[in-house]
Amino acid sequence: EAPGSRVTDLLVRRYGTERRHVAAVRAYANDLVLDGVVTEDNAAIGISVIGRDVTLRDGRSSNNGYLGLHADRARRLTIDTMAVIGNNTAGFDPFHSAGGIKVTSSSSVPVRDSHVAGNDGPGIWSDINGGDVRVVGNLVEANGRSGIEIELTSGSVVAGNTSIGNGESGIWVLESSNVAVWNNAAFDNVWQIRVQENTRRRVSSVTLRNNVVGAAASREALLWVNDSSERRSFTQMDVTENHTLFWRPSSDALSLFGRWPQRQAISSSLVAHRSATGQGSASVMVGGAAPSRNAACGDRRVPDGVMSAQALPTSIAQMLGVNATSRRPVGPTAPGPRLGQKVIEVEGITK
């Protein structure tokens, strides 16, 4: 252990990780900074963290065999301006733990301004008694499972993210409580935003506000809220939705809300959605072209004048770096993650 250390501009490539070593880089001490660290083409995990007050920033973890970034029992871990690309090349089980970023049994974890793409598994995944996980301002795209997965986690925020073209949900809140989902864009995933209860833990107090959801050809309802064990209704789960911009150029379902023991409410219009759920009084549905400023360049902000957002809580406005009192459209507040210069250089990104 080496508490208080700083590692800068380190490249670890093609390390044949032994099983007992877990990762190519192990940050198993307190008060660490890994700045500009690149891990690529390693046999297992790129970077693993167990400790307090660890910061990973302005680096890249790509094409590793198992996971890009891993953390367990971490406290006050910051993942900032990272590129986590193309991990789980060895084909580990993406339903168990493999993928891009997985954080377990950890608290006070901001994951922000990062690009998480093309991982064989979930992109950003909090699981197993996590708490105060803040997923803010990320671009999450083309991952094999869900883009952002909040599982068995409490007291978390998902805000200002763009989640596109993932193999399951754009944003998935699974058996979690006290989760605020604000100002995200979820496009062309299988599900766009999904809130699910099952037998392990009850969902409670999930707030969905100012989100943009849509798909050119969706296979599932754009907004999906249900208890898969068929015991409780969305009202008992305390899931609320408003100020959602639904983009639906096809005739697919707008929403599915579980009302157990009654039948599920599957709605194809805002009128039906409001009648069946009592939700979405200020939500809007549009067709035609996607409501994005410049989708070809990845800018999924909603153009001015399409739909105004609900005022942001001060805490979420601070996370997003915007004024809580200013009027703005729904959806992301920035054109994309504020990647650091080192990530821009190694990814070949031009501004």
Side-chain angles (χ1 to χ4, degrees), residues 184-187 210-214 244-247 291 300 302 330-332:
N184 302 282
F187 287 102
N210 295 351
N211 298 294
V212 187
V213 294
T244 303
L245 178 57
F246 294 95
W247 173 56
R300 290 290 186 164
V302 173
V330 296

Side-chain angles (χ1 to χ4, degrees), residues 45 65-71 87-88 91-104 119-123 125 127-128 145 149 151:
I45 298 171
Y66 186 5
L67 274 165
L69 305 178
H70 159 266
N87 295 286
N88 192 20
F92 287 92
D93 185 357
F95 293 90
H96 181 265
S97 54
I101 301 171
K102 184 160 191 185
V103 178
T104 56
N119 300 286
D120 183 10
W125 187 1
D127 195 7
I128 310 175
R145 293 193 62 216
E149 184 169 336
E151 180 177 3

Side-chain angles (χ1 to χ4, degrees), residues 40-78:
E40 62 183 18
D41 299 317
N42 299 294
I45 298 171
I47 301 173
S48 177
V49 176
I50 301 176
R52 298 188 302 273
D53 301 301
V54 176
T55 297
L56 312 178
R57 68 180 177 224
D58 207 5
R60 176 165 53 86
S61 189
S62 60
N63 302 315
N64 296 292
Y66 186 5
L67 274 165
L69 305 178
H70 159 266
D72 182 57
R73 292 164 286 154
R75 302 291 180 270
R76 297 180 299 278
L77 164 66
T78 297

Side-chain angles (χ1 to χ4, degrees), residues 142-156:
N143 296 285
R145 293 193 62 216
S146 292
I148 299 168
E149 184 169 336
I150 306 298
E151 180 177 3
L152 299 172
T153 298
S154 63
S156 297

Side-chain angles (χ1 to χ4, degrees), residues 98-114:
I101 301 171
K102 184 160 191 185
V103 178
T104 56
S105 303
S106 299
S107 62
S108 299
V109 181
V111 182
R112 63 194 183 210
D113 288 322
S114 295

Side-chain angles (χ1 to χ4, degrees), residues 19-278:
R19 183 169 182 171
R20 63 191 176 95
H21 288 159
V22 181
V25 175
R26 292 182 294 168
Y28 290 177
N30 299 329
D31 191 21
L32 304 179
V33 176
L34 276 63
D35 187 351
V37 172
V38 174
T39 57
E40 62 183 18
D41 299 317
N42 299 294
I45 298 171
I47 301 173
S48 177
V49 176
I50 301 176
R52 298 188 302 273
D53 301 301
V54 176
T55 297
L56 312 178
R57 68 180 177 224
D58 207 5
R60 176 165 53 86
S61 189
S62 60
N63 302 315
N64 296 292
Y66 186 5
L67 274 165
L69 305 178
H70 159 266
D72 182 57
R73 292 164 286 154
R75 302 291 180 270
R76 297 180 299 278
L77 164 66
T78 297
I79 300 172
D80 189 13
T81 58
M82 295 289 292
V84 183
I85 311 292
N87 295 286
N88 192 20
T89 58
F92 287 92
D93 185 357
F95 293 90
H96 181 265
S97 54
I101 301 171
K102 184 160 191 185
V103 178
T104 56
S105 303
S106 299
S107 62
S108 299
V109 181
V111 182
R112 63 194 183 210
D113 288 322
S114 295
H115 185 202
V116 183
N119 300 286
D120 183 10
I124 301 172
W125 187 1
S126 172
D127 195 7
I128 310 175
N129 299 320
D132 188 24
V133 175
R134 286 157 276 155
V135 183
V136 178
N138 303 282
L139 172 59
V140 187
E141 58 182 341
N143 296 285
R145 293 193 62 216
S146 292
I148 299 168
E149 184 169 336
I150 306 298
E151 180 177 3
L152 299 172
T153 298
S154 63
S156 297
V157 173
V158 180
N161 303 282
T162 299
S163 189
I164 302 176
N166 297 287
E168 291 182 350
S169 304
I171 299 168
W172 188 12
V173 178
L174 174 61
E175 296 174 300
S176 296
S177 59
N178 299 306
V179 182
V181 182
W182 284 72
N183 288 81
N184 302 282
F187 287 102
D188 295 323
N189 307 284
V190 176
W191 294 268
Q192 308 316 313
I193 296 180
R194 179 165 53 148
V195 181
Q196 183 175 9
E197 180 171 308
N198 215 317
T199 56
R200 294 178 300 174
R201 186 176 299 176
R202 288 187 166 185
V203 168
S204 66
S205 188
V206 177
T207 304
L208 311 175
R209 296 289 188 276
N210 295 351
N211 298 294
V212 187
V213 294
S218 179
R219 286 175 280 169
E220 301 289 344
L222 301 179
L223 184 58
W224 192 99
V225 180
N226 195 29
D227 175 4
S228 295
S229 65
E230 301 183 1
R231 299 171 301 168
R232 299 206 307 152
S233 69
F234 77 91
T235 304
Q236 292 170 309
M237 293 159 58
D238 191 19
V239 180
T240 61
E241 171 274 321
N242 209 353
H243 289 264
T244 303
L245 178 57
F246 294 95
W247 173 56
R248 197 191 63 162
S250 67
S251 59
D252 295 319
L254 194 78
S255 66
L256 181 152
F257 273 58
R259 302 183 297 176
W260 308 107
Q262 300 179 57
R263 295 179 62 183
Q264 297 167 333
I266 302 175
S267 305
S268 296
S269 69
L270 269 179
V271 171
H273 171 66
R274 290 167 180 159
S275 176
T277 66

